[in-house]
Amino acid sequence: MLASAVGLAGCSDGASKPPEESPARNEATPTSAPKEKVEITFWHVWSDKDAGPITARVEAFNKSQDRITVKVLGNQDATKQLTAISGGNPPDIALTYWNNIGPWGQAGAVLPLTDYLKNGKVDTASFVPAALERMKVNGEYYALPFTFSMASTLMYNKKAFQDAGITKPPETLEELFETAKKLTKRENGEITQIGFIPDYPWIDNVFWPIIFGGSWVDANGKLTANQEANVASIAYQRKFYEEFGMDQIAKFRSGMGQRGTPNDPLLTGKLAMMIGWEYNFPEERKPDGPIGIAPFPHPANRPDLKGSGMVSPRAVFIPKKAKHPDEAWEFMQYLVGHESQVEFSVESKTIPSLLPALDDPKLRGNEKLVMMHDFYERAKSKTLQGFPNSVYINEYLQALTEETEKALKGQATPQEAMDRVVARIQPLADKAASKS
Amino acid sequence: MTRTAAATAGFRRRRNKALWTGLLFISPWLAGFLLFQLYPILMSFYYSLSEYNLFSDPEWVGLQNYKDLFGDSKFYLSLYNTVYITVFGLLPHLAFALGMALLLNMSVRGQAVYRTIYFLPTLVPAVASSLLWMWLLNAQYGLVNELLGAIGLVEPNWLVDPAWTKPALVLMGFWGTGTQTVMYLAALQDVPKVFYEAAEIDGAGRWSRFRHITLPAISPMTLFLLVIGLINSFQYFTQGLIFAEASQSVGGPENSLLFYAIYLYQTAFSFLNMGYASSMAWILCVIVFGLTLLIFRSSARWVYYGGEK
Amino acid sequence: MAQTITRRSGLKIGVRKKRGLRLLRKTVLPHIGLTLTGLLFLAPFAWLFITSIKTEQEIFAIPTVWWPDRVQWMNYVEAVRTIPFLRYTFNTAMIGVLSAVGQVLVSPLAAYGFSRISFRGRNVLFYVMMATIILPFQVTMVPVYVMFNKMNMVDSYWPLILPNFFGAAYYIFLLRQFFMNIPYELTESAKIDGASEFRIYWQIVLPLSRPAIYTVALLTFLHAWGDFLGPLIYLNDPAKWTLSIGLRSFIGEYDVSWGLLMAASTLFTVPIIALYFFVQKQFIQGITLTGFK
């Protein structure tokens, strides 16, 4: 395998060194003659609408030095990246979602960063641990987290709280359930306002188990999706359906209004509370806005889980057959560096993945980012978690969604559903373990 | 004796000439096939017998992928969903397209405008039209349910209730029949007028003319649309994906929208199991090819070509 | 007396009734049918257009806003400004036209071979051709990409256009059905006169099949116009992109600029409506030609 990769790299570009040959050394040793100018290609997933901040980073990098020119290309979704990498024409560096790193890394499409990290400028300890952890597959880092999205917040409609006479947001999950009951209104037996829907905006098979302190795989490679905490997280969600009625929620939900538009149900108050990400309602959650925020509740008997939540990073990686891996690494270090992290976060209102950046005065002192300040603080929480990355991650997530849906609909008990997930996916995990 | 030999030789010469002329005519396609299609097709067959994750070299596993398929409940489910959309979609849509084409073939003033209008829905990009359908089919305030409610019928939760997601797609499919309508229209234009004139003189009624002239005359087009419709139905993809997105999961509510091609795509590009996906593709190919052969075999009985001796 | 009058007027009424019935059947009923279903078919486009001139607030309003308070033409201005609209339109049209040219040049030839020349192995080859479209593209996509990459054609229009110059099973099959329907006598007499197969093809079969050829050109163009995956995978340079990729520009990671997307979608649709309007006129010309039969 190694030989073939090297051979191909040699074929595609005679001048480039095979990446396995301790590539960082080239960079570390100061060379007497200045190297030739190199152009590298960088692909990301954003469309024009969201591409501004990343384009600005690329331009800044190009200006910062005169050896490497980065050519940036947006709109390159996973299918395109896969086809191009598999088809032998990959970019030098690319941005994708964290859950691609496991399968792509194990399949041999991504260059492991282990050697680079040993000799580079990047200090892995400075990353938000939960974000960095997602880049790890079988003990090796295949990518670095560029930014991440975070769900550890409860968002609520302030007016709905006022109308119901609720003065402070729920702190425990038990309170959340009671508050949701108080915030639910019916007319002629039909729901007209609902307090909380646990699977809105989608069935979240990662968020909920994290909130209950669950996990998915143990140190011995045994899947743990059917352990107590995970099962409890589904049973908890199911309680809402038993309370409000399956069909009634389904019907009300379909007419609730489109998410992310001026008729978003949380804005109109049809939905009183929801799981919040840092990109939800950036303007409306400012101090005088209609949306309130609070830490997401924790189980009453688990105060140690306060501040927990889920992170889903965006990953920068170097394809194995990249023509200029050294230069790509150079650029990657810039992207995850302090300055770039802060600037990007300012422009795109995202959370930097670098711990020191979370306290940067450019973010903390910026009045325009007032709606982000809480999130920067919560990003430091030790109880943040994520889903373990692996080659079989997408099958695992898909199975979790399918079985959780059945449990929520009462077609199976939560325990049965999760037992089935483990039975379905354990063979894949065993196979992956036997291969590595 | 010598005469027969000469005749046979002549026949053979003519047959050889026909072979070469025929091959000459199809040679551009043949070249394209050998140049662009043969290699990928052979590769996909090879993948179907391998474990292949798109990046590492394929590892030969023989028939393992096929064996695994027969124990995969999602394989059967996705096949069922696909057969459902084919059975309930294909024939009604074709009949509808034919009806529309007959209407659009009448000599009525303003026909050009009508023809354009009927083709419009096929031109609207899917991202835009799906939004319209989400709204039309909304359980609470959608127009379809308001109409159904007005005449006292059930008001299904189209996009959420797994029993109704596929019927919703079938219903929506009627708006996408513009291409079939255009093809039927082109076929109808090709029916020689003299046939109708002769039939009218014989005193044949409208139905009889339709049954005995129009239907046989356009039967080659029906064969085409049937075969292509079958092939396309079995590869049903985009609309299913867009609808499923409404419920934020591949496959939609209870996987009721997990069509064969969607499962195949997910297996190949999300699970990185191109070997397994390829074996799915070849199973599909065998099924659809078998059905296509059946249709072609039966066509001797119901398709009439004007060019036949 | 009274009786005859009644009878006479009854007769007159009968004639008028007959003429009225004829008018009803031949003109009024078709118009009613066409208009009613036509309205249903107009709905998606009308909806698209109306949405394109609404504010975001109005687009998702409950209850539905049927017509915006103030027409938002700015959506169009913004949409055209956001993406290089003219450039993308030109690129897309060029791919579409060249693809259509390729198909029209080649597919009828192959279709003729598959329909009007009987040679050994023809059916087998025909079934092989059908098999190529039965196998889902998802599993051949990567090997095809590998091939184009080896030919150094990635990031050019070649992978999108070139295959059209080798015909496509879909159109060859379509044209085969038309060609097989052309009366045998029409070509047999020419054959007896010693005309070559190519001459028969060029001078008899092709002219008789104009509606079919136009259909192929139209459908090829439409396919190229709406294709998303092809341009996405093969084109890297944004200057080479097409409209369908451009449309994606309005869909963000977390939110969609609905007004702009709808305005751009309307603009995306208009040129093909015009094209279709023109092509369907050719169908009518087709009648006069085939009327000779």
Side-chain angles (χ1 to χ4, degrees):
Chain A
M1 177 57 230
L2 190 91
S4 79
V6 171
L8 274 162
C11 272
S12 55
D13 183 358
S16 82
K17 289 245 158 39
E20 283 80 0
E21 249 176 52
S22 81
R25 208 186 331 137
N26 286 341
E27 294 306 308
T29 44
T31 40
S32 46
K35 281 188 194 168
E36 237 176 280
K37 209 168 161 91
V38 177
E39 187 182 89
I40 62 170
T41 48
F42 168 51
W43 289 3
H44 63 78
V45 287
W46 290 299
S47 67
D48 289 7
K49 186 173 158 52
D50 298 324
I54 190 70
T55 311
R57 283 310 91 224
V58 171
E59 280 165 9
F61 174 74
N62 285 340
K63 264 188 215 148
S64 74
Q65 42 76 50
D66 55 6
R67 198 173 75 77
I68 305 166
T69 314
V70 178
K71 240 180 100 185
V72 61
L73 185 60
N75 251 328
Q76 306 300 297
D77 70 4
T79 307
K80 163 80 182 260
Q81 293 194 11
L82 270 180
T83 313
I85 297 173
S86 174
N89 192 25
D92 293 297
I93 176 169
L95 240 163
T96 187
Y97 294 102
W98 66 280
N99 59 319
N100 290 329
I101 292 302
W104 298 7
Q106 287 261 287
V110 180
L111 190 67
L113 298 178
T114 318
D115 287 343
Y116 281 123
L117 284 169
K118 267 184 221 149
N119 303 303
K121 293 173 270 188
V122 171
D123 174 16
T124 45
S126 62
F127 285 103
V128 171
L132 182 70
E133 195 57 27
R134 309 278 77 73
M135 308 293 114
K136 204 187 226 175
V137 191
N138 276 346
E140 272 200 285
Y141 292 111
Y142 281 87
L144 291 176
F146 181 55
T147 59
F148 59 92
S149 69
M150 179 177 76
S152 66
T153 301
L154 180 76
M155 294 193 180
Y156 58 90
N157 184 299
K158 286 180 187 168
K159 189 168 174 298
F161 267 43
Q162 244 170 28
D163 293 349
I166 298 164
T167 49
K168 67 178 187 55
E171 279 174 27
T172 66
L173 290 171
E174 291 70 11
E175 285 172 28
L176 174 66
F177 186 66
E178 293 308 315
T179 315
K181 278 203 270 186
K182 276 187 219 149
L183 287 164
T184 302
K185 294 183 195 159
R186 286 194 172 88
E187 257 169 50
N188 310 322
E190 297 222 358
I191 299 173
T192 55
Q193 174 185 315
I194 196 161
F196 184 75
I197 302 176
D199 59 334
Y200 178 88
W202 45 68
I203 293 176
D204 208 308
N205 43 30
V206 181
F207 173 80
W208 281 107
I210 286 175
I211 291 300
F212 280 79
S215 69
W216 291 276
V217 64
D218 67 13
N220 305 319
K222 283 269 161 273
L223 301 190
T224 55
N226 57 349
Q227 64 166 321
E228 204 184 328
N230 294 57
V231 171
S233 79
I234 294 168
Y236 176 78
Q237 296 179 66
R238 167 89 188 130
K239 270 201 335 194
F240 288 83
Y241 279 99
E242 279 159 1
E243 176 69 28
F244 301 132
M246 191 81 226
D247 294 339
Q248 291 204 335
I249 292 184
K251 180 148 194 228
F252 176 70
R253 195 174 163 163
S254 68
M256 209 158 64
Q258 179 89 8
R259 198 166 59 93
T261 72
N263 291 287
D264 188 292
L266 197 74
L267 274 185
T268 56
K270 287 192 167 178
L271 176 71
M273 302 180 283
M274 67 174 256
I275 308 164
W277 277 259
E278 79 285 355
Y279 53 81
N280 297 132
F281 310 106
E283 293 307 313
E284 294 84 353
R285 66 170 192 252
K286 283 180 175 169
D288 51 351
I291 303 292
I293 60 168
F296 200 87
H298 57 87
N301 59 350
R302 293 289 302 273
D304 57 308
L305 286 175
K306 260 188 199 172
S308 83
M310 164 182 74
V311 297
S312 336
R314 296 165 193 83
V316 252
F317 70 96
I318 303 171
K320 209 169 213 170
K321 294 178 193 167
K323 295 187 184 92
H324 306 289
D326 294 348
E327 287 76 11
W329 169 244
E330 194 67 24
F331 176 55
M332 188 192 287
Q333 293 184 92
Y334 172 83
L335 275 182
V336 300
H338 189 94
E339 185 205 339
S340 149
Q341 285 280 302
V342 170
E343 291 297 330
F344 185 84
S345 302
V346 170
E347 283 181 47
S348 64
K349 298 194 174 77
T350 49
I351 309 171
S353 58
L354 224 47
L355 283 167
L358 291 168
D359 287 321
D360 194 283
K362 272 192 178 162
L363 297 179
R364 287 309 185 96
N366 192 336
E367 268 313 296
K368 281 188 192 142
L369 295 174
V370 62
M371 70 298 241
M372 295 300 297
H373 290 167
D374 283 305
F375 287 81
Y376 298 143
E377 198 52 40
R378 270 178 223 154
K380 295 184 204 161
S381 165
K382 296 267 186 296
T383 44
L384 284 179
Q385 276 296 336
F387 197 80
N389 223 334
S390 68
V391 62
Y392 56 88
I393 178 173
N394 290 329
E395 282 107 318
Y396 199 0
L397 289 170
Q398 178 70 29
L400 282 166
T401 305
E402 286 167 8
E403 297 298 338
T404 305
E405 182 185 14
K406 282 181 195 154
L408 291 185
K409 289 188 170 174
Q411 295 162 355
T413 68
Q415 187 69 53
E416 283 164 5
M418 290 303 108
D419 284 344
R420 267 207 298 262
V421 172
V422 171
R424 267 170 72 182
I425 306 300
Q426 187 69 56
L428 296 179
D430 295 342
K431 197 170 143 194
S434 73
K435 283 214 164 172
S436 56
Chain B
M1 184 90 179
T2 37
R3 206 191 258 172
T4 358
T8 321
F11 174 68
R12 199 171 290 152
R13 213 178 313 125
R14 248 177 294 138
R15 209 176 54 176
N16 276 340
K17 195 182 166 229
L19 176 66
W20 289 114
T21 323
L23 285 179
L24 197 64
F25 268 93
I26 65 163
S27 61
W29 169 76
L30 207 54
F33 170 71
L34 296 173
L35 210 62
F36 295 115
Q37 292 178 304
L38 189 61
Y39 168 76
I41 289 172
L42 291 178
M43 283 314 278
S44 81
F45 187 66
Y46 170 60
Y47 296 156
S48 80
L49 301 168
S50 321
E51 192 176 309
Y52 176 48
N53 64 20
L54 277 173
F55 300 108
S56 314
D57 295 330
E59 266 173 59
W60 181 265
V61 293
L63 290 173
Q64 194 56 46
N65 287 326
Y66 292 93
K67 278 182 203 152
D68 289 348
L69 259 184
F70 291 110
D72 179 354
S73 62
K74 276 165 87 177
F75 162 72
Y76 294 107
L77 178 63
S78 64
L79 194 58
Y80 163 77
N81 287 336
T82 307
V83 169
Y84 183 110
I85 211 86
T86 308
V87 169
F88 293 104
L90 183 54
L91 288 178
H93 290 162
L94 274 191
F96 181 77
L98 176 57
M100 288 287 83
L102 286 170
L103 262 178
L104 293 174
N105 197 37
M106 293 174 116
S107 43
V108 170
R109 200 177 297 198
Q111 199 59 284
V113 176
Y114 285 127
R115 283 178 186 168
T116 309
I117 287 175
Y118 283 102
F119 202 58
L120 269 181
T122 6
L123 304 180
V124 175
V127 269
S129 63
S130 63
L131 190 69
L132 163 77
W133 282 95
M134 306 272 167
W135 167 77
L136 276 177
L137 294 172
N138 190 287
Q140 284 276 72
Y141 52 88
L143 206 59
V144 173
N145 274 9
E146 263 173 44
L147 291 177
L148 288 176
I151 50 174
L153 291 175
V154 276
E155 298 176 43
N157 198 341
W158 295 96
L159 305 169
V160 175
D161 187 342
W164 287 100
T165 46
K166 284 188 287 288
L169 282 173
V170 171
L171 185 70
M172 194 173 81
F174 283 103
W175 269 257
T177 50
T179 315
Q180 286 100 311
T181 305
V182 166
M183 289 186 178
Y184 261 138
L185 198 55
L188 284 171
Q189 303 284 1
D190 238 25
V191 184
K193 283 257 157 41
V194 283
F195 288 3
Y196 290 113
E197 283 152 19
E200 209 146 0
I201 292 164
D202 290 348
R206 286 171 77 81
W207 171 249
S208 163
R209 269 178 284 157
F210 173 71
R211 175 84 186 66
H212 297 291
I213 298 172
T214 312
L215 268 190
I218 60 168
S219 61
M221 184 52 74
T222 305
L223 174 69
F224 171 81
L225 291 174
L226 202 60
V227 169
I228 292 294
L230 183 79
I231 294 173
N232 286 343
S233 284
F234 269 86
Q235 296 185 12
Y236 200 86
F237 189 69
T238 312
Q239 287 303 336
L241 214 57
I242 290 176
F243 258 47
E245 222 160 75
S247 62
Q248 303 281 359
S249 76
V250 181
E254 295 176 32
N255 272 336
S256 59
L257 296 173
L258 186 75
F259 294 104
Y260 200 89
I262 294 179
Y263 184 41
L264 190 156
Y265 181 80
Q266 194 188 26
T267 306
F269 289 93
S270 175
F271 304 162
L272 293 194
N273 208 339
M274 186 51 103
Y276 196 70
S278 297
S279 69
M280 282 184 74
W282 279 90
I283 293 278
L284 179 84
C285 198
V286 167
I287 295 173
V288 178
F289 193 77
L291 291 173
T292 305
L293 271 185
L294 275 180
I295 296 176
F296 269 106
R297 286 279 147 82
S298 80
S299 72
R301 263 181 278 156
W302 60 272
V303 177
Y304 305 92
Y305 293 108
E308 275 167 339
K309 286 175 217 180
Chain C
M1 185 75 182
Q3 248 183 344
T4 41
I5 289 169
T6 332
R7 202 178 282 161
R8 238 182 243 156
S9 59
L11 228 155
K12 257 188 192 159
I13 288 165
V15 171
R16 211 176 292 153
K17 222 183 194 170
K18 243 187 193 162
R19 201 184 295 149
L21 265 177
R22 210 182 151 76
L23 188 79
L24 189 73
R25 221 183 51 205
K26 288 254 157 170
T27 316
V28 181
L29 278 182
H31 264 298
I32 291 177
L34 282 166
T35 313
L36 281 182
T37 32
L39 280 177
L40 282 177
F41 274 70
L42 196 58
F45 185 74
W47 168 263
L48 173 67
F49 173 70
I50 294 171
T51 311
S52 76
I53 50 171
K54 284 181 182 174
T55 59
E56 296 263 305
Q57 182 77 47
E58 289 163 330
I59 291 174
F60 292 100
I62 309 167
T64 311
V65 173
W66 295 100
W67 189 259
D69 267 352
R70 275 190 49 214
V71 174
Q72 304 291 318
W73 295 118
M74 270 315 279
N75 284 344
Y76 282 84
V77 179
E78 280 285 303
V80 175
R81 229 185 250 157
T82 312
I83 58 173
F85 210 91
L86 275 180
R87 159 119 239 149
Y88 286 176
T89 309
F90 175 78
N91 293 347
T92 320
M94 187 195 69
I95 298 172
V97 167
L98 289 175
S99 301
V101 167
Q103 288 295 350
V104 165
L105 280 180
V106 171
S107 284
L109 267 176
Y112 187 88
F114 277 124
S115 58
R116 299 197 75 92
I117 303 173
S118 50
F119 59 93
R120 213 164 13 130
R122 182 180 86 173
N123 283 352
V124 174
L125 281 173
F126 181 74
Y127 287 131
V128 167
M129 183 180 82
M130 293 309 292
T132 63
I133 48 172
I134 292 173
L135 191 70
F137 75 92
Q138 286 94 341
V139 295
T140 50
M141 198 166 99
V142 172
V144 171
Y145 184 94
V146 170
M147 279 177 32
F148 280 116
N149 188 36
K150 284 200 176 131
M151 291 188 266
N152 250 328
M153 286 180 179
V154 170
D155 202 21
S156 78
Y157 294 128
W158 288 111
L160 306 174
I161 295 170
L162 192 62
N164 289 295
F165 281 82
F166 293 90
Y170 182 78
Y171 302 119
I172 295 172
F173 181 23
L174 176 68
L175 290 166
R176 168 196 185 257
Q177 297 304 92
F178 273 100
F179 292 173
M180 282 182 85
N181 220 8
I182 292 172
Y184 179 68
E185 305 80 44
L186 275 179
T187 52
E188 195 54 15
S189 52
K191 217 175 252 181
I192 289 165
D193 290 347
S196 68
E197 289 284 2
F198 188 79
R199 236 182 105 180
I200 295 168
Y201 163 74
W202 189 253
Q203 294 190 337
I204 301 174
V205 171
L206 268 194
L208 282 174
S209 311
R210 277 179 60 173
I213 306 280
Y214 274 107
T215 308
V216 167
L218 173 76
L219 293 177
T220 312
F221 185 86
L222 280 183
H223 176 79
W225 190 266
D227 188 18
F228 173 71
L229 200 61
L232 174 76
I233 284 177
Y234 288 110
L235 302 177
N236 290 342
D237 183 358
K240 293 188 185 125
W241 281 354
T242 61
L243 276 178
S244 59
I245 298 187
L247 281 187
R248 293 285 161 129
S249 304
F250 304 103
I251 302 175
E253 190 179 13
Y254 301 120
D255 61 338
V256 179
S257 309
W258 288 107
L260 301 191
L261 176 64
M262 294 295 156
S265 298
T266 309
L267 293 177
F268 177 83
T269 315
V270 168
I272 22 179
I273 296 176
L275 176 78
Y276 177 71
F277 191 80
F278 166 77
V279 171
Q280 65 82 31
K281 273 189 181 155
Q282 304 304 313
F283 292 160
I284 295 163
Q285 288 186 4
I287 304 178
T288 51
L289 259 169
T290 44
F292 282 116
K293 283 189 203 169

